[in-house]
Amino acid sequence: MTTTSTHEDPAVGDGPATGGRVPFFPPDLFHEDRDALLRLLYEIGTGADQKFILGDRTRRFEDALRDRLGAADVVACSSGTSALHLILTALGIGPGDEVVVPALGCAPLAAAVLHTGAVPVFGDVDPRTLTLDPEDARARITPRTKALMPAHMFSVMADMPRFAALAAAEGLRLVEDSAVAQGAVLDGTPAGLWGDAGLYSFVQVKSFGMPGEGGAVVTRDEETGRRVRMLRNHGQDGVHRGLHHVIGVNSRFDEIQAAFQLHRLPGLDARLERRARIAAHYTERLAGLPGLTTPPPGTDGRCYYVYTLLADDRDALRDHLDAEGVDTHVYYPATLPDQAAFAPVAAASSVRTGADPAGPDWPHARDAARRQLSLPVHHRLTDAQVEHVADTVRAHALRTRA
Ligand SMILES: *Cc1c(COP(=O)(O)O)cnc(C)c1O
């Protein structure tokens, strides 16, 4: 693998104790930062002001992300899921409204909409990018549709130029679920800044993960930022304590985590770069193999949160990798409309939009749910581990198709 050697690059893994396996998630994620974490825990825990939430460190973290992005506002909050809920509420989405979301993706895409009282309408994904298909989304727009909510999936950003044009043409809000895409840029615009608002998740497994729960709303619109800020802390304005202007929630951010994220922010680009290089190497070694589809290559609009293949014999490939010591992950074994939690809502919205709920709806999402398999791509992998993963996938594909 033609990348920086492990000796020159402190961001690269140096062979943690993994029992010889290649772990899907790094077991030593905060290896370089353990001392800083302990120092900050002590400093903040024993600080004279005893300020543990929404203090100076949270503000500085928000400012640092805002400046890095060129956003109007960044509001740190308790999770990516909560960020989605805050955005939808701040945009005034509620009972009687519909929001078009992808049929393949994480539960909060549907649940956050339902928690506002609005209804998610599921659109199929593009078979190549696995993100919401703009044409399919357009076909699901009704007079009740209030917003489009595409999500960036695995390593690929949704087709935001087309969604921005569609939202503008139809007079709809555009919410960008950029939870996994921090650091990605499409056509010069960073992930998170394409619509009315976007978000990042800082839960451990995401690319700017931390040792706990957290997220952030990002927006180009000051007024949306102001509303999200109020909603985050029980509808207060941050100046007059005890005055509640709107019905909010507790989605506050932790000072220790803010300080730790500030400490880790300067290393983020190098870690993302390492992930991108590993992904490019996988694609180089795996593209064109029989029975396998690699993710669309390139760097524009790409975020190497995970590296996801489509494999015709997914379960056999997964077993083979497991036997060779490689941990993998199947993110969404069923589409959202096929989940017990959302099936009734999906059936009802299919009827309203004229689609047949028993018919061949969401064929690409369902196909991807059967075939997707994610390989380890995190920055702590050694070059040898990356090569072992690629060799193992190649051997399986060539053997079974010989
Ligand atoms: C992880 C994720 C979320 C939710 O973030 P949490 O911090 O886990 O609540 C939302 N959307 C997408 C696409 C995600 O991957």
Side-chain angles (χ1 to χ4, degrees), residues 98-123:
E98 292 176 358
V99 179
V100 181
V101 306
L104 186 72
C106 62
L109 281 165
V113 174
L114 287 161
H115 283 307
T116 68
V119 175
V121 172
F122 299 100

Side-chain angles (χ1 to χ4, degrees), residues 123-124 132-141 159 162-163 166:
D124 203 4
L132 183 61
D133 176 349
E135 269 318 304
D136 191 275
R138 180 203 300 276
R140 309 217 183 225
I141 293 171
D159 190 344
R162 283 179 67 199
F163 281 111
L166 182 58

Side-chain angles (χ1 to χ4, degrees), residues 200-346:
Y200 305 134
S201 166
F202 307 131
V203 75
Q204 179 179 351
V205 298
K206 304 293 163 88
S207 27
F208 192 32
M210 61 185 200
E213 293 276 6
V217 172
V218 306
T219 179
R220 280 187 190 283
D221 180 46
E222 271 176 37
E223 177 56 19
T224 301
R226 193 185 66 82
R227 282 192 210 167
V228 166
R229 228 166 247 291
M230 277 207 284
L231 291 165
R232 158 181 80 170
N233 193 10
H234 295 302
Q236 301 169 99
D237 57 23
V239 181
H240 308 97
R241 270 195 76 177
L243 292 186
H244 304 276
H245 305 283
V246 293
I247 304 169
V249 294
N250 171 5
S251 183
R252 299 181 295 236
F253 199 76
D254 184 296
E255 283 286 281
I256 296 168
Q257 301 286 5
F260 189 61
Q261 289 299 73
L262 274 170
H263 166 77
R264 280 174 47 90
L265 189 57
L268 176 61
D269 289 335
R271 294 191 297 272
L272 293 175
E273 176 61 26
R274 170 70 182 162
R275 284 167 176 268
R277 271 185 278 148
I278 293 170
H281 188 70
Y282 282 153
T283 296
E284 200 181 297
R285 302 250 4 244
L286 307 178
L289 287 175
L292 279 187
T293 307
T294 48
T299 53
D300 195 39
R302 297 291 183 272
C303 44
Y304 289 99
Y305 158 56
V306 293
Y307 185 92
T308 304
L309 295 167
L310 294 178
D312 293 348
D313 60 349
R314 191 259 315 271
D315 296 340
L317 173 60
R318 189 170 201 206
D319 290 347
H320 178 70
L321 283 159
D322 182 50
E324 294 294 323
V326 178
D327 293 340
T328 58
H329 203 71
V330 173
Y331 272 84
Y332 309 112
T335 68
L336 291 170
D338 288 321
Q339 295 281 356
F342 309 120
V345 157

Side-chain angles (χ1 to χ4, degrees), residues 93 96-101 118-119 121 137-149 166-167 170-173 352-353:
I93 288 160
D97 297 333
E98 292 176 358
V99 179
V100 181
V101 306
V119 175
V121 172
R138 180 203 300 276
R140 309 217 183 225
I141 293 171
T142 75
R144 290 173 296 276
T145 308
K146 193 84 173 275
L148 305 172
M149 190 156 83
L166 182 58
E170 302 280 341
L172 302 174
R173 299 294 206 159
R352 282 201 312 284
T353 56

Side-chain angles (χ1 to χ4, degrees), residues 68 81-82 187 294 344:
R68 206 179 127 87
T81 301
S82 181
D187 290 357
T294 48

